[in-house]
Amino acid sequence: MTRIGLVLLEVFGDRWSMQGRLWVSKQDVKHHTLTSVGRRVATALCAVTLLGLNSVGGFFLLNALLAEPQGPWDTTITDTAQAMALFALLTELLAAALTGAFVALGRLRRWWFAIPTVLILAAIARMVFPPVP
């Protein structure tokens, strides 16, 4: 089994699909153990994935928070801010789900839940209190 296969086994848990075989379990590869370098790589991949999703969600939320009406004639600003907050909310819900998966696998610690929680609450607040022209 290649090092990539071992990393996939550590990242995705007890069972994962492999070409040529339907399933490979931990018992099949118990003589192969993932080195500390492989564990660090798996943890880094999880962290980079979450940082990317949280950055995208933060971008949407920042656009929703910075949206201001140009004047009293600008009636589309409410819809724009709510749409950007909705995109931020959906992105952060996905990030929270992935965080739950990575924490359950033991790849990341529970404090990673703080980032999507804060962004979700801010997105909900912006959806409830949009800018008024």
Side-chain angles (χ1 to χ4, degrees):
M1 177 169 286
T2 65
R3 185 170 291 274
I4 294 172
L6 291 173
V7 169
L8 288 173
L9 181 64
E10 279 295 315
V11 170
F12 295 111
D14 191 36
R15 306 196 101 141
W16 56 280
S17 173
M18 180 175 151
Q19 187 177 16
R21 294 180 70 183
L22 186 59
W23 293 102
V24 174
S25 67
K26 282 188 178 181
Q27 290 82 16
D28 294 336
V29 292
K30 71 179 178 182
H31 63 280
H32 294 286
T33 59
L34 197 60
T35 63
S36 65
V37 174
R39 289 185 179 151
R40 288 181 185 165
V41 168
T43 300
L45 286 173
C46 294
V48 167
T49 302
L50 288 180
L51 286 175
L53 271 175
N54 287 327
S55 296
V56 171
F59 171 75
F60 287 137
L61 183 61
L62 183 66
N63 282 330
L65 292 173
L66 294 179
E68 292 292 327
Q70 300 285 328
W73 64 88
D74 192 6
T75 58
T76 62
I77 193 66
T78 302
D79 294 336
T80 302
Q82 286 180 333
M84 292 305 260
L86 178 65
F87 293 150
L89 180 67
L90 294 176
T91 304
E92 289 307 316
L93 286 174
L94 177 63
L98 281 177
T99 301
F102 294 152
V103 167
L105 288 173
R107 293 287 112 217
L108 298 175
R109 302 218 182 240
R110 285 183 285 171
W111 68 264
W112 279 86
F113 283 114
I115 301 168
T117 302
V118 169
L119 293 175
I120 286 171
L121 291 175
I124 290 172
R126 189 54 168 183
M127 289 176 70
V128 172
F129 303 109
V132 178

